[in-house]
Every structure is written in C-alpha cells, then in structure tokens.
Amino acid sequence: IGTGLQGLGKYDVAEQTLRAAIEESTREMGLRHPLTLSGRVALTPVQRFKDRETELRSELDALIPLLRANGPASAADLALALSNVAHLAIDQRRFDDARAAAEEAHSISERALGPTHDSTVSYALLAAITQQREDDPEGAIVVQRRALDLVLRAYGAETPHARVLDAQSSAPIAGLY
C-alpha cells in the first residue's frame, strides 16, 4: 500500500503507512528479516523525494550491508537501494559513484528479475544517464545502446524512452538528467 501511495505522489501518507508496516514487521519478525528490510527500502524513495538527504544516506549505509548479507532473498531490494545511492551521488555531483551504483543495481536486477523487468530497464536507463556525465563519449554510447536494446526488448520501438535513447546513441547529450 505504501509503495502504491508513493506512485500516486502521496508521500506523507506513504511514509506513515510504510513506517507503521516497518514497526510491525520489526516487532513480529525482527530487524533483519527480509520483509522488514524490504519495508525500509520501500521508504527510501520517500526520503529522497522529500529531500531528506542525511536521513536517506544514513538509512542506505545501514541497509546495504544487511541486504548484501541476505543474498538472493533481498536482491530486488538491494538493487533499489543502490539506485537511490546513484541518485544521491548524482545530486552531489559524484558521477563515478553514481555510475558504479547504477551499474551494480542494473546487474543485480537483471540476474534477479530478468532483463526486461521494469526495474532492470529503469536501472539501465539510470546507468546511461550517469555515463553521460563522464568524460568518455564512447563509453556513454555503449551504455546508451545497451539501455536502448533493453527498452526495445521490453517495450518496443515507439516508447518515448526508445526514441530518446535512439537519438542519443550516436551523440550523447549532456544534462539529460
């Protein structure tokens, strides 16, 4: 429910709902249980959208080692957490860190969810965006083409993402993000 409320832009209600679920999950199953961790990860986009950078960074620093320790049971949550690390790094103009986090999120999601899952495609697009900020136009083209291939397989050629990536694959445009 909390994630659905996020999708509707109802961040205050989403936060209340997620915090209540996390509290109950922690009480019933423990702090390290995959469902508790999943709830905590689900809250991180709310923190990002509400500009709580310090709180978000602290939560991600605490969550990522726990998610890594859970292995495949928390793979999708780890990928989402890493995508938030990438977004934070972009906001802080730490583009090398952003690229590494986005590429790891994409790789984990591809293994756990498959190459055409919405999250996998989203993380590939995030990696393409971070690559545009690098001083490596050839590398940017490779990453953009990989993202374009994923978008084409997942959604077809007529989607807005496919058209933008197709146009950029021969000449990266700085500042897309």
Side-chain angles (χ1 to χ4, degrees):
I1 294 172
T3 304
L5 290 165
Q6 281 182 52
L8 296 172
K10 309 262 183 200
Y11 300 117
D12 290 333
V13 179
E15 181 175 20
Q16 292 170 358
T17 304
L18 288 166
R19 287 195 188 281
I22 293 164
E23 184 179 308
E24 183 174 338
S25 181
T26 301
R27 185 176 53 253
E28 296 295 323
M29 295 177 274
L31 190 60
R32 294 176 182 258
H33 191 278
L35 289 176
T36 304
L37 296 174
S38 187
R40 289 173 61 190
V41 171
L43 184 59
T44 60
V46 172
Q47 293 167 323
R48 195 175 104 227
F49 293 129
K50 292 181 88 173
D51 292 323
R52 295 186 186 149
E53 186 177 304
T54 303
E55 182 181 346
L56 174 59
R57 167 56 46 207
S58 177
E59 182 67 349
L60 290 170
D61 287 346
L63 276 170
I64 288 174
L66 298 172
L67 296 168
R68 287 187 193 284
N70 273 356
S74 293
D77 289 325
L78 177 58
L80 176 57
L82 288 167
S83 77
N84 279 300
V85 168
H87 284 289
L88 265 180
I90 289 169
D91 292 345
Q92 297 167 349
R93 306 190 60 75
R94 294 182 296 109
F95 300 118
D96 288 339
D97 295 339
R99 186 187 74 245
E103 288 178 354
E104 186 178 2
H106 173 253
S107 176
I108 290 168
S109 184
E110 189 171 44
R111 284 192 311 272
L113 303 173
T116 58
H117 189 276
D118 287 348
S119 294
T120 304
V121 174
S122 175
Y123 304 145
L125 293 170
L126 181 58
I129 289 167
T130 63
Q131 188 70 38
Q132 290 177 340
R133 302 296 188 141
E134 296 294 319
D135 195 21
D136 178 13
E138 292 81 21
I141 290 171
V142 169
V143 172
Q144 288 170 348
R145 285 187 181 146
R146 181 181 72 189
L148 175 60
D149 289 343
L150 281 173
V151 169
L152 291 173
R153 282 190 290 162
Y155 307 119
E158 294 307 313
T159 62
H161 283 93
R163 290 193 299 270
V164 168
L165 284 168
D166 187 43
Q168 291 178 348
S169 65
S170 61
I173 300 170
L176 176 66
Y177 183 76

